[in-house]
Amino acid sequence: MYDNQQEYNVATQNGRIIHTKINILNYSFQTVGEISGVVLDGSSYNIDATSDIRRTCNISLIPTDSSFDVNASSKIWLDKYVQIFIGIEDIQNNNEIVYSNLGIYLINNPEQNYSATNNTLTICGVDLMAKVTGLRNGYLEGLPYQIDKNTGIKQVMTTVIRDECGFPNYSIDQPSPTILTPYDMTFGLGSTAYNILAQLRDINSNYQIYFDVDGIFWFNQIPMGKIYEGQTGTNNQIMIDDTLWKKVLISYKRNYDFESVKNVIEVFGKTQDNGDTPYGKAIDDNPISPFYVGNYNSITHRYENGIRIVLSGGEYDNIFPITDLNGNITDLNGLAQQRANFELYTRCRLQDSLELSCIPIYWLDVNWVISITLPNKQTKIEEKDYYIIKKIDTTLGVNGTQNITLMKYYPFYPFE
């Protein structure tokens, strides 16, 4: 469960008195000022686990003095970050303001509007990945960047994020089992640090790169294994359950994307000079699965409920054989099979989605596993299910709401 009890408690209060605090940070992450203008209702922030830049915000406020002018000597300029906090008064604790950190953002496209009846400043914020993707930095110096075959992924990522991008705070996992770069990687002119990081990330299925609310860069695995209820510190820990949902849930909608379902997956990697091609195949052969392929017909070589997709070329050309330090192939199909298993997971098991509308939970984050019992007025039958959060859209203010997109959570194949 979420481990900040005070933030958890104020999220369940019947009423809310909301405060906003915006700190100005320099590029060394030191607080050098504060924005104390009145933040207007309708401001918003968004978190999207599928986006390169995961966190964005749009904050409109009423400036209080000339320090809000957009110029090189003001609070609002290219060389500043903003760190945004939303606070709720704790009515059980002398109305102490309990702040939640919404993240650190680069100021992007500020807009001033002034008229006889209006004076507002709108700040569009993008998270620190913008300094990696090329949006606001991240382009490599005018030389090709070379990563040799059989180099450690953690080693290269650390060098890129620390030395090339200048970020001092990072947490980079060592993938398990350890897989070295399977081929020489060359990044030409016009490449960004993100191109390198993303290609390294994609060598291992189901890993993510992102900046958290404290500006720390992370490379780690998205939850995909057995659920551990009540156990803190695990990757598959349940972060929120019905204790909270019963107090904040407004409505929900379920979606089933049958068009995207594929339960027979074939993956072809990069064909080698000797003609060998890495190959992987995965099928949903679990009879209790709603996407079970059914019986196999040996004459037609098809499954009665099979929906096939063949994946090759493009990003799949990054799938190479696993070799030893001498270049000898030790596993032709290992990475291709990993990718096939993961494609089955994403194209089959994660096509059952849920959209929640609720009173904002400001400390919520994507790729968290949650449990929820959805009310059902028709059958009166309620069943607890597990979901993983993929997107959060929140409007601020007294009447603000939060829309959460989740995918049904299943353990990764094979079933555990």
Side-chain angles (χ1 to χ4, degrees):
M1 296 295 293
Y2 186 69
D3 59 4
N4 188 315
Q5 191 61 50
Q6 221 178 349
E7 280 186 288
Y8 192 96
N9 290 344
V10 296
T12 63
Q13 291 180 168
N14 292 329
R16 294 184 176 187
I17 299 176
I18 297 174
H19 298 259
T20 305
K21 180 173 66 174
I22 303 177
N23 287 343
I24 306 295
L25 311 180
N26 61 21
Y27 275 7
S28 297
F29 298 97
Q30 298 167 321
T31 301
V32 295
E34 182 176 329
I35 294 178
S36 55
V38 177
V39 175
L40 302 175
D41 286 353
S43 296
S44 64
Y45 75 96
N46 313 91
I47 317 173
D48 187 347
T50 65
S51 176
D52 296 342
I53 298 173
R54 177 169 288 192
R55 301 173 191 277
T56 59
C57 68
N58 193 296
I59 305 295
S60 294
L61 53 89
I62 300 174
T64 56
D65 54 53
S66 61
S67 67
F68 289 89
D69 294 343
V70 181
N71 58 57
S73 61
S74 79
K75 299 175 179 178
I76 313 299
W77 197 243
L78 287 166
D79 61 345
K80 304 291 195 309
Y81 299 132
V82 292
Q83 185 171 25
I84 301 171
F85 298 86
I86 297 295
I88 302 174
E89 291 188 13
D90 186 350
I91 59 178
Q92 300 296 327
N93 192 23
N94 298 318
N95 286 39
E96 176 189 350
I97 303 173
V98 180
Y99 281 103
S100 296
N101 183 2
L102 303 190
I104 298 174
Y105 302 86
L106 285 86
I107 300 170
N108 197 43
N109 301 332
E111 181 180 284
Q112 291 177 302
N113 286 304
Y114 180 80
S115 68
T117 58
N118 180 54
N119 182 23
T120 61
L121 172 67
T122 299
I123 299 172
C124 298
V126 289
D127 76 17
L128 300 183
M129 196 65 81
K131 295 188 71 173
V132 180
T133 63
L135 176 63
R136 287 281 295 280
N137 218 331
Y139 283 102
L140 304 174
E141 293 187 13
L143 294 172
Y145 195 95
Q146 177 77 35
I147 301 173
D148 294 334
K149 182 179 178 179
N150 293 325
T151 303
I153 292 173
K154 180 175 181 178
Q155 170 192 339
V156 179
M157 277 199 169
T158 301
T159 299
V160 170
I161 202 68
R162 181 190 62 201
D163 300 340
E164 297 292 335
C165 300
F167 288 107
N169 302 315
Y170 48 85
S171 178
I172 299 174
D173 285 359
Q174 176 66 58
S176 180
T178 300
I179 297 176
L180 305 178
T181 52
Y183 52 92
D184 292 335
M185 297 180 176
T186 301
F187 300 86
L189 299 178
S191 296
T192 65
Y194 185 83
N195 296 145
I196 300 174
L197 296 170
Q199 194 159 333
L200 292 169
R201 174 199 62 195
D202 293 343
I203 291 174
N204 294 267
S205 299
N206 208 45
Y207 274 73
Q208 58 181 341
I209 53 175
Y210 64 97
F211 283 90
D212 69 10
V213 294
D214 296 310
I216 299 171
F217 174 85
W218 289 81
F219 169 67
N220 57 18
Q221 192 172 37
I222 301 169
M224 58 190 306
K226 185 178 179 181
I227 295 293
Y228 295 94
E229 291 206 55
Q231 295 188 23
T232 60
T234 66
N235 198 32
N236 307 322
Q237 173 192 353
I238 297 299
M239 299 299 292
I240 305 176
D241 61 16
D242 288 323
T243 307
L244 181 62
W245 294 123
K246 288 179 179 179
K247 297 181 179 181
V248 300
L249 181 64
I250 298 173
S251 63
Y252 73 88
K253 178 172 66 175
R254 298 189 70 169
N255 300 295
Y256 303 91
D257 185 3
F258 285 174
E259 182 178 340
S260 297
V261 170
K262 302 292 184 288
N263 56 10
V264 180
I265 309 289
E266 291 186 271
V267 171
F268 292 86
K270 178 73 171 179
T271 301
Q272 304 302 291
D273 292 339
N274 64 1
D276 289 341
T277 302
Y279 173 76
K281 182 177 181 179
I283 62 173
D284 188 341
D285 57 359
N286 190 320
I288 67 171
S289 165
F291 306 111
Y292 175 49
V293 293
N295 297 320
Y296 182 70
N297 188 314
S298 59
I299 298 175
T300 63
H301 301 287
R302 293 185 179 277
Y303 299 92
E304 62 181 354
N305 298 321
I307 308 171
R308 182 185 305 271
I309 188 170
V310 178
L311 304 169
S312 64
E315 62 183 288
Y316 303 98
D317 278 343
N318 291 324
I319 299 173
F320 280 66
I322 298 173
T323 61
D324 60 24
L325 295 177
N326 296 318
N328 301 311
I329 294 177
T330 58
D331 190 344
L332 174 64
N333 299 318
L335 292 179
Q337 187 59 51
Q338 270 190 31
R339 185 60 181 264
N341 293 342
F342 179 62
E343 293 284 351
L344 182 67
Y345 180 64
T346 58
R347 295 174 183 268
C348 186
R349 302 302 287 175
L350 295 185
Q351 300 309 320
D352 181 353
S353 65
L354 175 68
E355 294 180 17
L356 302 180
S357 177
C358 64
I359 299 168
I361 309 166
Y362 298 121
W363 37 267
L364 204 63
D365 209 344
V366 293
N367 285 339
W368 280 9
V369 180
I370 65 100
S371 66
I372 187 170
T373 304
L374 298 173
N376 190 323
K377 292 182 179 180
Q378 281 70 42
T379 65
K380 306 297 183 183
I381 298 174
E382 296 183 347
E383 183 176 343
K384 182 172 73 173
D385 278 318
Y386 301 107
Y387 289 85
I388 185 168
I389 300 171
K390 305 310 292 185
K391 189 177 181 183
I392 304 169
D393 298 306
T394 309
T395 55
L396 304 178
V398 176
N399 298 314
T401 58
Q402 189 170 64
N403 294 314
I404 307 168
T405 302
L406 311 95
M407 308 300 292
K408 188 75 172 287
Y409 185 83
Y410 298 92
F412 189 55
Y413 288 86
F415 284 77
E416 298 185 63

